[in-house]
Amino acid sequence: MTANGIIQIFLFLFVLLLAVKPLGSFMTRVFQREKTFLDPFLGPLERLIYRLSGVNPEEEMDWKQNALAMLLFNFLGLIVVYSLQRLQQFLPLNPQGVGGVSPDLSFNTAVSFASNTNWQAYGGETTMSYLTQMLALTVQNFLSAATGIALLILIIRGIARHSSKTLGNFWVDMTRCMLYVLLPLSMVLALFLVSQGVVQNFSPYATVSLLEPTKDTSGSIVTEQVIAMGPAASQIAIKQLGTNGGGFFNVNSAHPFENPTPLSNYFEMLAIVLIAAALCYTYGAMVKDTRQGWALIAAMLIMFIPAVFSMYFAEMNGNPKLPVSAINRQTSNTNPGGNMEGKEDRFGIANSALWTVATTSASNGSVNAMHDSYTPLGGLVALLMMHLGEVVFGGVGSGLYGMLVFVIVAVFVAGLLVGRTPEYLGHKIEAYEMKMASLLILIMPLTVLFFTALAVVTTAGKSAVLNSGPHGFSEILYAFTSQGNNNGSAFAGISVNNPFYNLAGGIAMLIGRYWLAVPTLALAGSLARKKFIPASEGTLPTHTPLFIFWLVAIVLIVGALNFLPALALGPVVEHLLMIQ
Amino acid sequence: MSSSSSKELKRPLGFTGTIFRRALLESLTKLNPRLMVRNPVMFVVEAGSVITTALWFQALLGSGEAPAWFIGSVSGWLWLTVLFANFSEALAEGRGKAQADALRKARRDMPAKLLSEPKSRSPFTTVSSTILKKGDVFLAEAGDIVASDGEVLEGIASVDESAITGESAPVIRESGGDRSAVTGGTRVLSDWLIIRVTVEAGGGFLDRMIHMIEGAKRQKTPNEIALNILLSAFTIIFIGVCLSLLPFSLYSIEAAGQGSPVTVTVLIALLVCLIPTTIGGLLSAIGIAGMDRMIRHNVIATSGRAIEAAGDVDVLLLDKTGTITLGNRMATEFTPAPGISRERLADAAQLASLADETPEGRSIVILAKEKYGLRGRDVHDIHAHFVPFSAQTRMSGADIQPEGKNGSRIIRKGAADAIRMYVEETGGTFPGAIHQIVQEISRLGATPLVVVENQEVLGVIHLKDIVKGGIKARFAHLRKMGIKTVMITGDNKLTATAIAAEAGVDDFLAEAKPEDKLKLIREYQKGGRLVAMTGDGTNDAPALAQADVAVAMNTGTQSAREAANMVDLDSNPTKLLEIVEIGKQLLMTRGTLTTFSIANDVAKYFAIIPAAFTTTYPVLKILNVMNLASPESAILSAVIFNALIIVALIPLALKGVGYRAMSAAQLLRRHLLIYGVGGVIAPFIGIKLIDMLMGALKLV
């Protein structure tokens, strides 16, 4: 590890933490429908939307009505994305004339973008028309992120309220999230990205002459290259801010038109975790105890920082099997050293490792380096961050509500340890809450393990794997871990655009998103109905270092412990074989 | 449990050989899957035992997936795991059953003298107690056993209630007032009572007690249900983890080109090691033992729910008298009537109290001695005839007839109105000045006792409340635990303030009427607090019914006992503090064992994963950090540790985790260190030791 790399990592964390409070308190104002500096511009638009859609913003709904609204809205989005893909060859804005997308891939992509997973079994520039990219994918980038945040806000209200039947209005939270948070931030980031060289046009793909002619696999000489174009910047901004992660181009943020400079890389990385981190503050502010929010950020950082450094360390060590004559693993002023395979020269190891941990922990899924080419331990860290249940920052909204479920479990066991019926922020945690929390913690590991097991014993599953040995196992495990956790990043090394992976993955993404969202809403609905219990000396404080440590332990035990055998058979064995 | 409270145990009932034998037998009958399914964790273990047994038979026939001795050993230890869990439950139930048997002896059919009409001398017919109906009236005379729960209509008698309370000192039962309830199965020692039956046959207090103790009506408490759900979730996850390992293993063999698939036996062994069997096996025993601890403190709870709620209580309403102060008051001052010297009053008061063995009486003698130098005189020297306190006269005193001297002294002391009646009946006058003094003393919360000699009122003795020793420290402990103490007293504010400050309670309610108590409880509950209180009188019943944890004194009225969810057979109001501790202990024991159980998994993974996959990936042996001798030994050691830890923790489950008064954060730190960190480390040591032992004995 170099001093330069370490400084860059800490600079990232520093700026992130600086941004948490301002953005967090701004979002608090937005969701509590207080005045903001954007009201003069957006207020009339907001009221117009309510009038046109017939939503009464003063009307509150209980958890079931909100869940139904969310499900219907997402289902509608899913249908639109599916249809646009199937029909794109008949629709405008298709300069490359790409054909309709196959039913299974359309299904997988529609689920993927509706569920904020943004797993891509396709290459953007070869599969999707500009219209599909904009109307289907970019729109879903916004809506799925707004859905996650709106769900979180409803759930926060459940915790903040007492003796209340309602949680708020999903439509209002969606609208305000879109207008006041996602659109302004995306606009600023998109403009910045354009300034760095990210493309934003409707031009047909450019054909340029190669400076140095090369040969293709059949041996014929190639002198020209096609360079893909399109309205990329507008999608990239929300892809990072909304923890979507679906690349406009196939190689995602490693592509120079998506992520051209170290500066664009820095701000895109910040954008990946920015809203998720700031929402922790919003949470604290909305439950009227900002310490609760900071405690959650602290718990997340306790898992995040060691992960970054473990991955950085593993990548700097590189692969000892490679002969020194072939690869110089020593770091110098002119040589990055370590394992540069699959990484971009303009980012280097520190920024690739930091990005990878950010994108896997935050359920973003965009990549600026190829995870398949990481060292086994580097890959293990990426897997582990997802196995924790995407609660270290996690997806916007969904990460924090996932973490709150872990908080409930931690509070429950801690409550027993101190001899008192557990309570969290004045709510008693009883059988119903544990039922919902149990449903939530068991569904992710079961989904991931089931589909991985299915894939490793079926020909359809095995034949798609391009690598042999434990690495092949890691690739399959990664594919379902990523989809089951709505992350969307790919290990690659596996050809996933086939009916088996498209359907299995699609189901895993549906379960990962909605099976978790609905019981969490139910949990919030139940908490909101409860009477307030004032805190006393016998109440366990949930903002202390001790509780933070306990919460981290619970996340590790419930999340990671279940995957220990699978990890042992994948990256761990691979590592042991490598250093043998 | 604090050491002071364990000394008070009335029913130390240890584990006799019979209980052990019965528990051993029952751990077998509890294998019935229909019973086991109530406990999902252990049900999974039983299913695993059945499957491994089948695999063992298959291996014996020569076509096993692993050597028969290995499968057989795993299977045997899995069966033992289930049996150990059953044994812990049977053991916990056993003590209760033994007590229930003792109680049942008191409940057997007995004759009842059924009266045709509720009058003392009306004729009776002797019938069996089983046909007594609610509303029937029967007579119980000296030597009779009271045939049913009821209310005394007439008479006063001393009753031996040891069958229920274990306390041999007889108690007084009389008509009217707060001592009118009698319990079926108790024995009248002197005099007679006319009793109206208040319960239907089989619904009496004794019956309910037997039910409770036997656990026949035992239902899972809310918190236990919630924990069971979480444990089931863990179990389901680990079933998924273990099921997926077979495909993973098959794929790995293909990938590595070597090795044999992980056997079903090993997968089941891993599953049983991973699922929280330690807490799952002991959960039921913990709950029963909690109730049992209550019983051994002579508290009968009507439901496990009440015991659990006791741990959550945040407000204790405590009656001043008997709980915070000693029930008896102490003399602190003599105030003479006008024209009477203080010494004369002291002398008369002492004489009147010489034979008075009540604490009040003794305190008067001592005060007179210490303050006025009047030495206690020998009772025989002064030829005194002592008149003990009686309920009719409500006075006590002495008639002194000095030998050879004229003029006898008839001295009486008693409550102001009793003395006034006595004086006025005999033609004397009760001076207005005394009246004023009496009122003054009452106003300050002390009790005035008026002393009269030969119709001449001499003055007044102040009797003051004495705060119980050590109670202040106890309240401080409660405060640390986040429990607020509120003193309820009929005293005026002035006195209440003084006593509250002296006892260190957080708050008090002075001049409290029964309905004020109810109002106060409702107020606290509206604020989200859980309230506990004790009570005995009929007028306490509404408040008892409203409180979350309501402890009725056994000496109390029938209605109080019915409104409460616990009955203290010792009728000791301070017991509430122990009840809270037992409730907390119950939850803590569950919490610590859950943490321990889950923390154990780390070591078990390190024992079993390398063992299970070492033929496919020999490099994985680096994960064998305990350096266990062989794969078979590693897996067996983990399974054996998992089984033995249940036995090792049975005493903890039955006794409960030691209670300490500290804040929630301190408790959490302590328990996480012991049971969390300890739970990670202990199995590494335990499994290694078992492995070494098996190696030394050449078992594997």
Side-chain angles (χ1 to χ4, degrees), chain A residues 449-465:
Chain A
L449 290 172
F450 171 77
F451 282 110
T452 309
L454 191 68
V456 297
V457 290
T458 52
T459 329
K462 282 189 287 188
S463 60
V465 181

Side-chain angles (χ1 to χ4, degrees), chain B residues 171-248:
Chain B
V171 295
I172 300 294
R173 295 292 173 197
E174 60 185 340
S175 61
D178 288 347
R179 293 191 293 177
S180 64
V182 288
T183 310
T186 56
R187 180 186 294 274
V188 177
L189 292 178
S190 69
D191 305 291
W192 51 267
L193 295 170
I194 289 179
I195 300 160
R196 183 169 58 212
V197 178
T198 51
V199 294
E200 296 295 348
F205 184 64
L206 208 54
D207 298 278
R208 279 192 288 148
M209 233 173 110
I210 292 168
H211 265 298
M212 278 316 301
I213 295 173
E214 274 195 323
K217 277 193 184 163
R218 205 183 96 80
Q219 283 165 335
K220 283 187 185 149
T221 52
N223 196 277
E224 198 180 347
I225 292 171
L227 180 57
N228 235 319
I229 291 169
L230 184 68
L231 297 180
S232 303
F234 277 124
T235 307
I236 295 171
I237 293 175
F238 286 126
I239 290 177
V241 169
C242 291
L243 277 181
S244 69
L245 274 184
L246 187 59
F248 291 178

Side-chain angles (χ1 to χ4, degrees), chain B residues 91-106:
Chain B
L91 203 57
E93 285 169 350
R95 282 204 289 210
K97 283 198 175 135
Q99 277 170 355
D101 286 349
L103 285 176
R104 206 172 271 120
K105 279 190 196 123

Side-chain angles (χ1 to χ4, degrees), chain A residues 33 77 154 158 162 169 203 345 360 362 382 389 407 419 437 443 459 466 533-534 536:
Chain A
R33 300 183 67 200
L154 294 170
H162 297 276
N169 188 320
S203 319
D345 279 342
T360 47
V407 170
I443 209 64
T459 329
L466 308 177
I533 316 246
S536 70

Side-chain angles (χ1 to χ4, degrees), chain A residues 416-417 420-421 462 534 561 580, chain B residues 223 312 527 588 605 619 671:
Chain A
L416 293 186
L417 280 173
R420 194 178 158 90
T421 295
K462 282 189 287 188
L561 204 58
Q580 206 177 25
Chain B
N223 196 277
D312 292 344
M588 286 194 305
Y605 267 129
V619 283
H671 287 157

